[in-house]
Amino acid sequence: MAVTGRIDGVPSDIWHEEVLAPQFAYEVEHLLRHYLAIEKVLLLEYVRMGLVDAAGAAGIGARLDSLTPDVVRADPKENMSDISFAVERHVLSGPVPPFHAWHVDRSRNDLQVCAQLMSARENLTAVAADLLSLGRAATSLAARYADVPMPGYTHAQAAQIISPGFHLTALAAETTATLRGMLHTYDEVDACPLGSGTMAGQELAWDRVRMAELLGFAGVQPHALVAVASRGWAMAISGDLARYAVTLSRFATDLMAWGGSGFGFLELPDELSGISAAMPQKRNFPVLERIRGRCAHVAGCATDIAAGQRNTAYTNTVEVSKEAGGHLRTQFDAMRSVLRLTRAVIAGAAFSADRMREACAGEYLGGFTLANQLTLECGIPWRTAQVISGRYIKRALEKGLRPAEPDGSLLAALCADAGYEVARTDALLAAAFDVDEGLRAKRSAGSAHPDEVRAMLADQDGAFAKLTDEWSLRTRRSADAAHRRDDLLAAAERRS
């Protein structure tokens, strides 16, 4: 039986081999079960509209259940290497002929984008689960190092004293923000396109709200053309993934620096380490380079998805939809790989407290604190205090003094040169350049002070718990819809 009266021939070998067969294989692997779910919902609608009785619906439902990936294949002659036609052919070749109105008023366009969107929602929830796991690993490691001083760097220069716990709570904060953003994106795109037809709507009175509910959507996309033509949902999801990948790449860059011989702050377990084939003294962490490389791939996919749609007509172009779906799937796979690798790194990481403390002690990281003290305790105007502090550090370095070797007379002389008499200069210097005091000097909310880090960790633990519940609600909605579909079809079979 022909599938169209417009074309007499079959797809050419080159068209089949280069485009149709790969697309068919992709859809069988990733979208077939969504297509079958949609077909069942359409079947239930035909029952509701009185176009088929219970017996007819039960026969097609059973035939759809027999359609598994191993029994369907791309065939240019039989199904034009198209998954929708393949499903139709499978039902037509069954023991029970379908009712005469089966697939009446149907279009592939809304069916295809609906399956793509269902797959994207499912993958988005899987990424969310990976993010939640990574975020909890980050907070767990952060709690172990909230009190451990380490240098914080700006412009590749040691700047202030922080802690690994403080740094890791930043990763956790970025993760919760991404999860919230993805949740918003999920809810924005959770609009069912089924019932929109080719682009202008359909001619039968399909109950689009019911169809959406049976597919686990929160609602319907109200505009038929937007439903089938827009790929904003793909770009929104892709943008969320790319944004986090860029952020994660920056964190990985920090870890690479800290794990290098120049710092020696970070240690990873042997199972995440590598060696040099020619330099036996080396112990490398190539997993961090892989993370950065895959982060770049995730970010690049977002560009591909946007560029693939640029300047294409808004009126529906199905092939653009297929290309966008393929790129998005590639991005999901790369993102999940990145998250699993990063979680393994975080779970196995250890920081050298001695090396980090030694690095803090070797730098004049309390210059800012000294300027504050000169202003608040000695009445020296802030800008003048900044100049005095900078001059003291410069002179101390020229004299070969370490931060723990305060020269009170030098500081007093510099203050006197600026017109201020300051006592207790040794005490001021000792307090300003004490490593532990440097970590606790910050008092503002969200600072590196250990108490503030612990407060942020408590908030983040609560946020992860709430986000876990929110994402679980979305997952359950899809699962509940699947059960309801099956129950309705089973009821039709019993009536038959």
Side-chain angles (χ1 to χ4, degrees):
M1 181 184 295
V3 297
T4 177
R6 185 73 172 120
I7 298 175
D8 294 326
V10 299
S12 67
D13 289 345
I14 186 67
W15 181 235
H16 170 76
E17 293 168 3
E18 295 297 326
V19 177
L20 299 182
Q23 178 67 32
F24 193 98
Y26 168 83
E27 295 196 44
V28 167
E29 181 179 1
H30 301 296
L31 301 180
L32 178 59
R33 55 197 176 83
H34 300 304
Y35 280 124
L36 295 179
I38 295 167
E39 288 286 354
K40 290 179 179 180
V41 169
L42 297 176
L43 186 57
L44 289 168
E45 274 295 282
Y46 286 130
V47 173
R48 184 191 63 80
M49 291 187 287
L51 295 175
V52 63
D53 58 17
I60 293 182
R63 187 61 177 167
L64 289 171
D65 285 335
S66 72
L67 182 53
T68 57
D70 57 309
V71 301
V72 64
R73 65 186 183 89
D75 188 323
K77 293 181 180 179
E78 288 297 314
N79 54 43
M80 298 188 73
S81 301
D82 180 275
I83 190 70
S84 299
F85 293 148
V87 172
E88 188 173 295
R89 286 296 196 188
H90 179 79
V91 173
L92 289 170
S93 64
V96 179
F99 58 97
H100 76 283
W102 184 60
H103 275 188
V104 68
D105 196 35
R106 285 300 305 127
S107 164
R108 289 182 303 153
N109 290 10
D110 60 340
L111 182 144
Q112 288 176 343
V113 72
C114 188
Q116 292 165 4
L117 190 49
M118 289 173 70
S119 177
R121 291 186 316 171
E122 187 176 74
N123 280 292
L124 196 59
T125 57
V127 169
D130 290 337
L131 280 167
L132 286 163
S133 180
L134 172 57
R136 291 188 183 281
T139 56
S140 177
L141 184 60
R144 290 164 47 194
Y145 292 99
D147 296 280
V148 180
M150 75 175 294
Y153 295 87
T154 61
H155 303 284
Q157 303 290 322
Q160 290 184 309
I161 296 175
I162 60 170
S163 68
F166 176 69
H167 193 273
L168 287 162
T169 53
L171 175 58
E174 293 279 12
T175 304
T176 56
T178 297
L179 282 162
R180 291 191 188 100
M182 285 171 45
L183 200 61
H184 175 76
T185 296
Y186 186 103
D187 291 344
E188 282 292 308
V189 306
D190 195 18
C192 184
L194 198 61
S196 297
T198 300
M199 62 184 285
Q202 296 190 247
E203 297 182 7
L204 293 179
W206 299 89
D207 188 340
R208 295 192 61 207
V209 173
R210 179 175 184 248
M211 290 193 293
E213 291 174 350
L214 289 174
L215 291 172
F217 285 91
V220 300
Q221 171 50 252
H223 196 290
L225 181 57
V226 173
V228 293
S230 175
R231 294 299 169 266
W233 60 267
M235 288 190 291
I237 293 171
S238 179
D240 286 340
L241 301 181
R243 185 166 58 250
Y244 189 77
V246 170
T247 299
L248 196 57
S249 177
R250 296 179 64 193
F251 277 95
T253 299
D254 287 341
L255 296 179
M256 287 176 66
W258 297 342
S261 58
F263 294 97
F265 297 165
L266 176 69
E267 193 62 48
L268 296 181
D270 287 348
E271 54 266 29
L272 292 175
S273 303
I275 62 170
S276 169
M279 293 170 283
Q281 76 277 12
K282 290 189 67 181
R283 186 165 182 266
N284 303 324
F285 299 144
V287 62
L288 297 173
E289 298 175 52
R290 290 287 185 172
I291 289 170
R292 288 207 313 178
R294 293 182 188 184
C295 282
H297 183 52
V298 172
C301 284
T303 302
D304 292 340
I305 291 171
Q309 300 177 64
R310 180 177 175 271
N311 292 341
T312 61
Y314 187 80
T315 48
N316 186 46
T317 305
V318 175
E319 303 311 318
V320 172
S321 166
K322 292 177 178 177
E323 292 292 337
H327 283 306
L328 191 58
R329 179 71 198 203
T330 298
Q331 191 182 30
F332 275 128
D333 289 344
M335 186 79 255
R336 296 201 66 192
S337 174
V338 163
L339 296 176
R340 289 193 296 269
L341 286 171
T342 305
R343 189 196 181 286
V345 167
I346 296 298
F351 289 88
S352 173
D354 291 340
R355 291 290 295 269
M356 293 187 300
R357 177 177 290 277
E358 181 182 354
C360 290
E363 300 281 355
Y364 279 88
L365 301 180
F368 184 82
T369 301
L370 178 59
N372 274 347
Q373 290 175 336
L374 290 173
T375 296
L376 298 174
E377 297 185 22
C378 305
I380 299 176
W382 165 247
R383 181 52 54 197
T384 302
Q386 278 275 316
V387 172
I388 293 171
S389 180
R391 285 176 178 171
Y392 172 81
I393 293 170
K394 180 180 179 181
R395 299 282 180 83
L397 288 170
E398 291 170 350
K399 295 174 66 173
L401 298 176
R402 290 175 56 82
E405 300 171 334
D407 188 338
S409 60
L410 172 59
L411 179 60
L414 292 170
C415 291
D417 290 343
Y420 298 93
E421 184 176 343
V422 176
R424 298 178 51 254
T425 50
D426 283 325
L428 285 174
L429 291 169
F433 296 111
D434 180 271
V435 172
D436 290 306
E437 285 302 313
L439 182 60
R440 296 178 177 276
K442 303 299 185 287
R443 295 287 187 270
S444 59
S447 70
H449 192 289
D451 291 345
E452 288 299 322
V453 171
R454 280 186 276 269
M456 287 189 285
L457 287 171
D459 289 343
Q460 288 167 353
D461 285 343
F464 284 131
K466 182 177 180 181
L467 285 163
T468 297
D469 291 341
E470 290 288 342
W471 280 103
S472 295
L473 285 174
R474 275 74 177 171
T475 303
R476 284 200 300 274
R477 187 163 62 212
S478 294
D480 291 345
H483 292 313
R484 187 181 175 202
R485 286 195 304 269
D486 291 341
D487 289 344
L488 289 171
L489 285 173
E493 290 179 7
R494 288 192 295 272
R495 289 197 302 272
S496 67

